[in-house]
Amino acid sequence: MTMIPLVSLHDPLHLLLLSLAISVCGGVASLLLRACDGAAIRVAGLAGIAAAVAGLGASLPALSGPALVFEAAGPYPFAHFVLRLDPLAALLIAVISLLSLVAWIYSLAYVREYAGKGVGAMGFFMNLFIASMVLVVAADNAFWFIIFFEMMSLTSYFLVIFDQDEEAVSAGFLYFLVAHAGSVLIMAAFFIMANYAGSYDFAAFRTASVPAPLNSVVFLLGFLGFGAKAGMIPLHIWLPRAHPAAPSHASALMSGVMIKIGVFGIVKVGIDLLGASGGVLWWGLLVLVFGAVSSVLGVVYALVEHDIKKLLAYHSVENIGIILLGVGVGMIGIGIGQPILAVLGLMAGLYHLVNHAIFKGLLFLGAGSVIYRLHTKDMEKMGGLARTMPWTAFSFLIGALAISAIPPLNGFVSEWYTYQSLFAAAFSGSWLVKLATPIAAMLLALTGALAVMCFVKAYGVIFSGPSRHAHPDDVREVPATMVIGMVILAIACVVLGLAAPVVAPVISGIAAATLGAATITVADGVLLIPADAHQAVLSTPLIAVMLIGAAVLPLLLKSALSGSLRLPARQAAAPWAAGYLPDAHMSATAGGFAQPIRMFFGPLYEVRKSIAAVWSKVTFGFERFISFARRSEPCWDRALVDPVGEGVVASGRRLQAIQGGDFRVYCLYIVAALVILLVLTVR
């Protein structure tokens, strides 16, 4: 661990603090300029871009090397203000900074849609939301971690309810309940660890040994608390409602980054802070089970959604499950004493964490662009948008291919490493590990197949076929800054896939540093290899060359045989409709596409309906309680608060008379006090 003074912009910690200061100043300035929407949008956006650039400058150099620590005195003896920039925190901050950079570029045009609705407040909450996420990741003291975690939940809550319609307020209320229930569990876990560590500093937690079975209690509290923030099933109930309700650039950050802080917290508690207490095998198996269930059910629920943002939100549940599969294998490796397996599994989870942030941010921005033009989230009212919104269609296609794990894009690489870690675990450990990991691999395969089907449906219904919009001639491409934001993330999806032989060793080093293990070999030249097992190899650059060759080779053969590369002219023809006359109503719809899945997985949807019915009764009870509180508050005021207030005011008037300077009154008080004192003394 290295103590670094803040002396120049070359210091990562200095840049990190500068990034936070810019975010706070930009948010406050945006709020002060709330009367001028244009100025508020520009100030918030430019400040956010500058803060993101500073955050990238701070985090990228810290991805490898020793942890950097900044310490300052806190307001209380137990609340030291400590920021720790280790490789894991640097990875999360880099992802937050990159996605926020793109979101701010996108917002320069997108937020104009909210003109007259308080865009100054939106800029304020967005800047503070991003700053609080960075602080949560970097905080190295339990007190400050909880403070910043609550600040992150509160600022994102105000973004969820920003539209102030009934659905947004209801979704925000649900999110508020789940987020704070999770916070209570996290606080309980930290209190138990602090009791044994004798301090609230995470540095003390790392060296303290929490005895069994209390260490398992701490892990369960942290797993459930952070799992609620991550949106894993069954704690996901807030996610499909909160993410669609927020503005699209905020949804990209919430789904792309914020829920990953839940995964970060699980890794922090289960691997980092409880490291001295020893890893327990069933911890990893528990994470694996929750990950497998979340991945399958997330995509199954996404398939039947017609709301494009709700569909993407359920895919966040799916991908959180895939990330947890990798994290679970990493914790299994710790439990069975196999550090190579632990590093491989955790590396797979972290790689997918990065990849999901990129392609899910891209998909939410693409969905926001469609909604920006059509003013609807219903896919049944879209169609044919590839002709009028080509850049949006192309960017969304890249994101859809990446999330479907189509090679050579980034989603394919991280899922391939996840498969390899599951296969490696299946050949080691106890019979329970050998039973659980193949089942998890099969569920991951099912998840991948359903994800492909889901995004064939989404892209086909939104961008292909005839337009089902009421005014298709009015639809055009979104402004340039929105296109730039999407294109940056589309390029990142391609780069993270093709450059996997360079990226994978970096993430492997981060996983090894987090586990305190030796680094492993995950790439050899342009080949990707699953650690030292060598059961498979992969080369994304070679796959890209082969795919390009598969497209170009027919043209070259045609040129060699006919002497011309000219393609035949496209001839319009009526589509084949099984012998019937083609009709516009025959085009595929979101509901028709998902009907076979709805029938096949009918029991799962019935379970969801039952749970939703129970939850609606619970929320209805909360709403009735709130309504009763609102109605009873005036009665309470009249019966108790007002009389007390009037009594205080009357007493104040009497005291004012005393303060007026009547010397005889002061003498009487003094005499009475002396008499009382004399009586007490005699007794």
Side-chain angles (χ1 to χ4, degrees):
M1 187 179 297
T2 305
M3 299 293 295
I4 289 189
L6 305 179
V7 292
S8 72
L9 294 179
H10 296 292
D11 290 334
L13 287 174
H14 191 151
L15 283 172
L16 181 63
L17 294 176
L18 178 63
S19 172
L20 295 170
I22 293 173
S23 290
V24 173
C25 292
V28 173
S30 173
L31 193 62
L32 294 176
L33 293 170
R34 62 187 182 278
C36 181
D37 287 343
I41 292 171
R42 287 191 295 272
V43 167
L46 294 176
I49 291 170
V53 171
L56 285 171
S59 57
L60 293 178
L63 291 175
S64 58
L68 309 176
V69 178
F70 169 78
E71 296 186 30
Y76 308 106
F78 60 85
H80 305 116
F81 185 77
V82 185
L83 298 181
R84 175 186 166 94
L85 192 60
D86 56 23
L88 179 61
L91 179 67
L92 269 293
I93 293 173
V95 173
I96 293 169
S97 300
L98 176 60
L99 206 56
S100 62
L101 171 65
V102 173
W104 282 121
I105 294 172
Y106 184 90
S107 73
L108 294 175
Y110 173 77
V111 178
R112 295 174 191 166
E113 186 80 359
Y114 292 86
K117 299 180 181 179
V119 294
M122 181 189 292
F124 172 77
F125 288 121
M126 274 288 292
N127 270 290
L128 262 64
F129 173 50
I130 295 168
S132 62
M133 286 194 292
V134 172
L135 285 167
V136 167
V137 171
D140 209 48
N141 176 278
F143 173 82
W144 291 109
F145 186 99
I146 292 295
I147 293 294
F148 298 140
F149 195 85
E150 284 294 302
M151 189 168 76
M152 176 183 69
S153 298
L154 194 60
T155 50
S156 56
Y157 162 77
F158 283 112
L159 291 171
V160 169
I161 67 169
F162 189 81
D163 278 337
Q164 287 295 296
D165 55 27
E166 184 177 354
E167 172 59 23
V169 172
S170 177
F173 178 69
L174 177 59
Y175 170 53
F176 190 84
L177 287 179
V178 176
H180 285 81
S183 297
V184 170
L185 298 178
I186 295 167
M187 281 191 285
F190 286 169
F191 288 156
I192 295 173
M193 284 191 282
N195 185 51
Y196 284 91
S199 170
Y200 284 92
D201 290 340
F202 285 166
F205 287 8
R206 294 184 183 96
T207 58
S209 179
V210 181
L214 207 54
N215 59 348
S216 294
V217 173
V218 170
F219 170 74
L220 284 175
L221 290 171
F223 178 67
L224 295 175
F226 286 113
K229 179 61 71 177
M232 68 181 187
I233 287 179
L235 306 175
H236 70 294
I237 52 176
W238 63 272
L239 194 151
R241 296 188 62 190
H243 288 197
S248 292
H249 66 311
S251 297
L253 286 169
M254 291 178 68
S255 189
V257 181
M258 186 189 73
I259 60 174
K260 309 303 189 314
I261 293 178
V263 177
F264 168 81
I266 293 171
V267 173
K268 191 84 171 173
V269 172
I271 296 177
D272 184 20
L273 301 183
L274 285 175
S277 302
V280 181
L281 176 59
W282 70 262
W283 297 358
L285 290 170
L286 181 69
V287 174
L288 191 76
V289 169
F290 273 84
V293 172
S294 296
S295 63
V296 174
L297 292 186
V299 70
V300 167
Y301 293 152
L303 265 166
V304 297
E305 287 297 336
H306 299 173
D307 183 318
I308 178 58
K309 291 184 74 174
K310 189 169 287 188
L311 179 147
L312 295 177
Y314 272 118
H315 271 286
S316 293
V317 176
E318 171 220 340
N319 281 273
I320 284 295
I322 296 174
I323 295 169
L324 290 179
L325 287 176
V327 173
V329 172
M331 297 179 72
I332 288 172
I334 297 172
I336 62 178
Q338 296 209 11
I340 293 177
L341 177 62
V343 174
L344 179 62
L346 185 58
M347 186 272 286
L350 294 179
Y351 204 154
H352 200 73
L353 182 151
V354 175
N355 290 338
H356 178 254
I358 302 301
F359 57 63
K360 184 50 66 66
L362 171 59
L363 290 169
F364 264 110
L365 296 185
S369 297
V370 172
I371 297 168
Y372 181 85
R373 286 303 186 206
L374 272 64
H375 303 287
T376 180
K377 301 175 187 175
D378 188 356
M379 292 190 293
E380 302 286 20
K381 299 178 181 178
M382 301 176 186
L385 296 180
R387 294 185 290 273
T388 54
M389 304 177 69
W391 285 103
T392 300
F394 175 75
S395 301
F396 195 94
L397 177 62
I398 295 295
L401 293 173
I403 198 173
S404 301
I406 302 299
L409 300 177
N410 57 342
F412 171 74
V413 177
S414 53
E415 287 199 27
W416 182 82
Y417 272 118
T418 304
Y419 277 115
Q420 299 307 318
S421 67
L422 289 168
F423 296 155
F427 289 101
S428 58
S430 64
W431 66 270
L432 194 56
V433 175
K434 293 178 180 179
L435 175 66
T437 48
I439 294 174
M442 288 188 292
L443 292 177
L444 179 58
L446 176 62
T447 299
L450 293 176
V452 172
M453 182 178 180
C454 188
F455 278 95
V456 168
K457 160 194 155 181
Y459 186 86
V461 170
I462 296 172
F463 294 102
S464 302
S467 175
R468 293 179 294 276
H469 186 51
H471 304 285
D473 296 334
D474 297 337
V475 179
R476 61 188 187 279
E477 189 56 89
V478 293
T481 56
M482 296 172 68
V483 170
I484 291 171
M486 292 185 289
V487 169
I488 290 174
L489 291 181
I491 293 172
C493 287
V494 177
V495 169
L496 285 172
L498 294 180
V502 177
V503 177
V506 175
I507 299 181
S508 173
I510 295 170
T514 304
L515 292 163
T519 57
I520 62 174
T521 302
V522 293
D524 183 9
V526 296
L527 296 177
L528 301 177
I529 56 177
D532 296 330
H534 293 281
Q535 67 254 28
V537 293
L538 173 71
S539 175
T540 49
L542 181 59
I543 290 176
V545 170
M546 293 175 64
L547 290 173
I548 294 172
V552 173
L553 184 60
L555 298 177
L556 296 178
L557 290 174
K558 181 183 183 301
S559 174
L561 295 174
S562 65
S564 173
L565 270 174
R566 187 173 61 182
L567 297 175
R570 182 181 177 184
Q571 297 179 354
W576 183 73
Y580 294 91
L581 291 175
D583 186 87
H585 297 289
M586 292 181 178
S587 60
T589 62
F593 200 97
Q595 185 61 27
I597 295 296
R598 186 185 292 273
M599 293 174 59
F600 186 80
F601 290 103
L604 291 179
Y605 296 120
E606 291 300 324
V607 170
R608 185 174 68 161
K609 289 179 182 178
S610 301
I611 295 174
V614 172
W615 179 252
S616 65
K617 293 179 181 179
V618 174
T619 54
F620 179 68
F622 274 114
E623 290 170 358
R624 290 187 64 183
F625 175 76
I626 293 172
S627 177
F628 171 75
R630 287 173 178 169
R631 291 194 304 268
S632 62
E633 184 179 9
C635 301
W636 177 268
D637 290 344
R638 287 193 297 267
L640 182 62
V641 177
D642 289 346
V644 171
E646 291 171 359
V648 170
V649 171
S651 301
R653 291 197 185 100
R654 296 187 183 95
L655 290 174
Q656 286 176 351
I658 295 173
Q659 291 173 350
D662 192 336
F663 183 74
R664 292 171 297 177
V665 175
Y666 286 111
C667 290
L668 288 175
Y669 276 114
I670 292 172
V671 170
L674 289 174
V675 170
I676 293 172
L677 181 62
L678 181 62
V679 170
L680 293 175
T681 304
V682 172
R683 286 185 179 181

